[in-house]
Each structure stands twice: as C-alpha cells, then as structure tokens.
Amino acid sequence: MDTITRSQLLAARWHVQQVGREPGADECDLLDYGIQDSGPDGAPWALHIRGFDNSDDSLAVAWTIRGAPHYYRRADLAEVSVAVSPLSSEDAGKRIYDASKKFRDAGTDPLEAMAELAAEMRTIVTTPTVKGEMSRQLTSVLPDHFLRYCKPCDAIHPYENSFRLAALQAGLELQPDTSPPVLRRIKGLRPNNFRRLGTDAAERFDVVRNHLRFYGAATPKQVAEFLDAPIRDVKAHWPSDVADVSVDGQTRSALSDGLEVLTDPPEATGLRLVGPYDPLLQARDRELLIPDASRRKATWPALGRPGVIFSAAEPIGTWRPAKAGKKLNITVELWSTTTAKTTAAIDEQAAQLAQFRGLDPGTVKTK
C-alpha cells in the first residue's frame, strides 16, 4: 500500500484541479464535476484562478450537488442530469432531508414523488420564471405531502431541497446573475425526470468516481458526506479500478490511474485567493487541509465564510473583501510570517479580484 503524505495530496489536488494556471486556458476539467457558484464571485472566480475565463453562453448554471448552484458546460447538461440524480430511492430520501418522511407517510416513494414534482415544474416554466412565482404555483397544485409551513415567511412552500434537486431533472437551468433566482427551460434538452439514476452515469461525469478523480483519495464516508448520500449507496457504486493508499494513517481509495500523480505530484506553484466555496475547500477532510482546530473553525464558521489564501497548494491564511465606493479593499489574516514575495503576490491577486469585479484596487490590510 502506498503512503501518501499530506503535502503530496494537497499538491496533487492543486495540479488535478488546475489551480495556478496562467490566463488563456481553453478548458477546465472540473466542469465535469461542477463548480459551485455561491458568494459574490463564485464559480466565475474559481474558473479565473484556474486560467479559464468564459464570457459566452457555453456554460450553464443548475442546482445539483447538495442542492447548490453549480456551473457546467451547456453541452454536457443531459449527461450531468443523469450523473447528479440519486443513486437509489434511499439516496433520494436522504438528499431531500425532512421531505422524505412526509412522502413515505403518504405512501409515496421519494423518487416517484420527485418525478411528479419535476413534471409539475416543467409544466409551469414555459417562459423564464422567478423562483417565488414557481413556488406559488407549485403550492396551488401539489398535494399536501409536498408542502411545509415556513415559519420565517409565515407561508406554505414546497420543501426547498426537493424543489432544487428536481429542477435540472425537469430540464430547467438557472438564469445567471439573477436574484431571486430565475428558472428557464434548457433549449434542446429532454427532461430526465428521474428516469435514469446516477448509477447510469457516464464515467466522465460519475459523481462518486469524480470525487476520487479530483480529490485524489477518499473514503466512502467522505464522499457520502460530500454528496449528502447514504454511505451504503456510495459503497455499492464504488469504482472497481481503485487501490488502497494510506493518508495520514487513514486507509483511503485512489483511482489506479491517479496513483502516479499522488505519489509524485508536480511541484505546486503560485498563490491564489480562493473563494469560500471553491472546490479546493469542498472536500470533507478539513482536518487534513487545515490541521489547526482554531484556524479550521475560523475558516468554516456557521455564517460568513472567508476565502482562503493558498500558496503552492498550502493554505496560509484567510481573506475577506469589502467594497468601498468604487474600490475593493481586502483584509487578510495570515497564519505565519510571510516573505515580501508572498505579500506582493497577495497584492497582485487582490488587484486581479478588484478588476474581476469591475472595481479599482483598494487597500490590502493585514489583520
């Protein structure tokens, strides 16, 4: 069994996730798995720090893994809709949380209920439709077991995650840069409507396999937590072409064709201001990524996550942006003394982020 050190694993992720590339890349492999679009910069900034900027209509946004919005290639959406669908009825029930009990109490299998929900959503969205209007119309036509009382709104709504996870299966995407979200039909896409499950996914888009592909090595529990899926389903769908490796004393699986990168990763170079929901921060082995408990707690608070500063694949501190008029100020908290070269690289990244947002560079303040 190969032993993979922490530094090797982080360097491998840096390389496979294509972080630190120079601008001008014409592709980003992570779009096979989806790049979460949460926060003010979201997926576009995650792509930018990987050297890929896209301003045409070749990318699309859809609610998928964990019910979060993710970027994909538009041409891949049909395959993605299969890949991100549940692995089983039990998996569907786990992903939709408390909605599952009401479905089962009503004698309805969660997958059948989700298919019914997707069909209703498809019927409603003939033109771009704001989420609130979609919810209102669904509430008027769905049986009671699809609905819940929302205390903050003092209103009856469909369950949030079931609503989100049914959207792509209904052939619906999110219109970019809309708040509240606007849903629209995906041109030329026949709705999957949960007819094909994640177990039918093409290898390139398979969500279990892609976790090992982009995170290097993992346990079924870590993948299940990432997907909000039952461990039993993840284990049943585990790739066969894997090898056991030891990471920080823990036995994990790695794809056989990824072992070379893990055992001898290319040297990680570059510094990047990584957004709070960047793929580099999405793995469930947070203790490995940031061993110090207090720093880990500050990186993933209950509310208001900061971004993380990575230097050559190693997290070295956090950052927070603040708009001041036409300028973007950045506050950084560094976890150790840094060199003048590192400080200059942080300043350069802060200036890039300001330009990315259409603002002027402001101050970079060390907390």
Side-chain angles (χ1 to χ4, degrees):
M1 182 190 302
D2 287 310
T3 296
I4 310 299
T5 66
R6 173 181 175 276
S7 60
Q8 285 175 316
L9 182 60
L10 296 189
R13 288 180 182 174
W14 187 263
H15 171 71
V16 173
Q17 293 192 20
Q18 300 175 313
V19 190
R21 294 188 299 177
E22 294 299 316
D26 59 3
E27 183 54 276
C28 182
D29 292 345
L30 267 167
L31 290 165
D32 290 349
Y33 206 14
I35 299 177
Q36 187 166 333
D37 187 40
S38 297
D41 306 302
W45 178 249
L47 289 165
H48 177 82
I49 64 174
R50 289 165 172 84
F52 181 62
D53 287 287
N54 183 285
S55 58
D56 60 24
D57 194 41
S58 64
L59 301 185
V61 192
W63 282 319
T64 57
I65 297 171
R66 300 179 303 278
H70 284 71
Y71 268 50
Y72 299 93
R73 302 176 198 90
R74 182 170 298 284
D76 296 338
L77 288 178
E79 295 279 9
V80 169
S81 70
V82 176
V84 300
S85 63
L87 301 171
S88 67
S89 289
E90 182 185 359
D91 186 12
K94 187 162 191 312
R95 295 192 199 194
I96 58 179
Y97 309 129
D98 50 348
S100 178
K101 184 178 186 305
K102 287 195 73 173
F103 290 154
R104 295 193 186 281
D105 287 348
T108 303
D109 179 277
L111 273 176
E112 294 175 0
M114 294 292 285
E116 182 179 346
L117 176 59
E120 292 289 357
M121 293 173 71
R122 179 73 177 182
T123 299
I124 290 169
V125 179
T126 55
T127 59
T129 304
V130 178
K131 179 188 174 188
E133 176 59 19
M134 162 78 86
S135 180
R136 185 192 67 79
Q137 292 196 44
L138 284 172
T139 301
S140 70
V141 298
L142 289 172
D144 287 346
H145 56 275
F146 283 87
L147 308 174
R148 68 178 182 90
Y149 171 69
C150 176
K151 188 174 181 180
C153 299
D154 190 25
I156 303 296
H157 297 310
Y159 283 87
E160 179 71 17
N161 227 41
S162 57
F163 176 102
R164 287 174 175 242
L165 294 177
L168 181 57
Q169 307 304 319
L172 307 178
E173 65 176 317
L174 295 169
Q175 190 168 309
D177 304 318
T178 54
S179 181
V182 173
L183 294 104
R184 64 187 181 191
R185 289 191 176 190
I186 301 166
K187 293 180 181 179
L189 179 67
R190 180 182 177 183
N192 181 41
N193 204 30
F194 298 95
R195 284 187 292 267
R196 297 174 64 199
L197 302 184
T199 50
D200 300 317
E203 184 177 282
R204 178 181 160 198
F205 302 102
D206 185 287
V207 293
V208 174
R209 184 180 188 83
N210 268 346
H211 196 89
L212 301 181
R213 175 184 169 193
F214 289 110
Y215 290 100
T219 66
K221 182 175 185 291
Q222 289 165 347
V223 178
E225 289 176 350
F226 179 89
L227 298 173
D228 279 340
I231 295 178
R232 181 169 63 181
D233 279 305
V234 170
K235 286 182 175 179
H237 192 59
W238 206 245
S240 59
D241 56 331
V242 295
D244 285 345
V245 296
S246 176
V247 178
D248 202 28
Q250 179 186 56
T251 299
R252 303 188 184 192
S253 291
L255 293 173
S256 298
D257 63 7
L259 282 176
E260 184 177 350
V261 171
L262 282 170
T263 56
D264 187 21
E267 181 183 0
T269 59
L271 181 144
R272 294 293 183 268
L273 299 186
V274 168
Y277 294 90
D278 188 273
L280 279 178
L281 298 172
Q282 295 285 21
R284 292 319 191 243
D285 55 0
R286 293 174 175 177
E287 294 83 0
L288 185 84
L289 180 62
I290 301 179
D292 183 272
S294 61
R295 292 172 182 170
R296 202 163 56 243
K297 184 177 180 181
T299 302
W300 288 285
L303 295 171
R305 296 184 189 184
V308 174
I309 306 168
F310 278 80
S311 179
E314 181 69 38
I316 63 169
T318 59
W319 63 277
R320 290 183 182 276
K323 183 180 177 183
K326 294 183 178 180
K327 291 186 176 182
L328 184 69
N329 298 326
I330 302 289
T331 299
V332 303
E333 182 172 353
L334 299 173
W335 295 333
S336 61
T337 303
T338 56
T339 65
K341 183 179 179 181
T342 298
T343 300
I346 292 172
D347 290 345
E348 191 275 334
Q349 275 280 288
Q352 276 196 36
L353 179 61
Q355 182 181 23
F356 185 82
R357 288 196 181 188
L359 299 170
D360 296 324
T363 61
V364 178
K365 177 184 175 183
T366 302
K367 184 176 177 180

